[in-house]
Amino acid sequence: MSDVVSRPALPIVGSILRAPEMLSVLRILTGLLFLEHGTGKLLGFPAGLPFIDQMPGGLLYTTGTLELIGGLLITIGLFTRPVAFILAGFMAVAYFMVHFPQSFFPAKNYGEPAVLFCFVFLYLAAVGSGPWAVRRD
């Protein structure tokens, strides 16, 4: 019985896609995607982010700074747990401030990215950075 539980269903996949490394891949890709929001708001690249022209200046610079610095720290794996915890809260606040008032359903209020970022950051806050990081925590 224990032999069945300990063997992966697909040995080749299990040897290539190992959980610790995939955690690092998840962290790096999440950080890069989040960083893109910050560069779009603060540096204008990529240009044409939706709804950016409707944001008040102070909110634009505050959110852009959190996204730029937080995305960079998550990408390189520096202070992953505390930064991810702060960003999870930031995304929860963003969802309830911006998206939730439009509709209860994330598919209708365009809030799916905020919800996904929130829970991926919460996961990273719980498990840490993975093996490919500047500072493992």
Side-chain angles (χ1 to χ4, degrees):
M1 179 72 175
S2 65
D3 185 43
V4 173
V5 174
S6 65
R7 285 185 310 168
L10 299 170
I12 294 173
V13 173
S15 65
I16 295 171
L17 302 176
R18 296 186 39 218
E21 287 78 11
M22 290 310 296
L23 170 61
S24 291
V25 170
L26 175 68
R27 175 186 48 78
I28 292 165
L29 289 176
T30 302
L32 288 172
L33 289 171
F34 203 66
L35 177 69
E36 181 182 27
H37 288 272
T39 60
K41 288 177 182 169
L42 297 178
L43 306 175
F45 180 79
L49 291 181
F51 310 113
I52 197 169
D53 55 336
Q54 298 172 5
M55 291 182 75
L59 188 61
L60 178 72
Y61 293 117
T62 302
T63 59
T65 302
L66 277 168
E67 292 164 349
L68 184 70
I69 294 171
L72 179 64
L73 291 172
I74 293 293
T75 300
I76 66 173
L78 185 61
F79 307 117
T80 300
R81 288 178 191 260
V83 170
F85 184 74
I86 291 167
L87 293 179
F90 169 61
M91 285 289 89
V93 169
Y95 178 80
F96 284 108
M97 258 182 71
V98 177
H99 302 283
F100 187 76
Q102 295 176 27
S103 171
F104 176 78
F105 301 102
K108 194 170 178 184
N109 67 24
Y110 304 104
E112 299 103 326
V115 173
L116 282 171
F117 274 125
C118 178
F119 282 95
V120 170
F121 287 138
L122 201 55
Y123 177 71
L124 291 173
V127 299
S129 60
W132 301 334
V134 170
R135 180 177 174 220
R136 292 185 64 189
D137 53 345

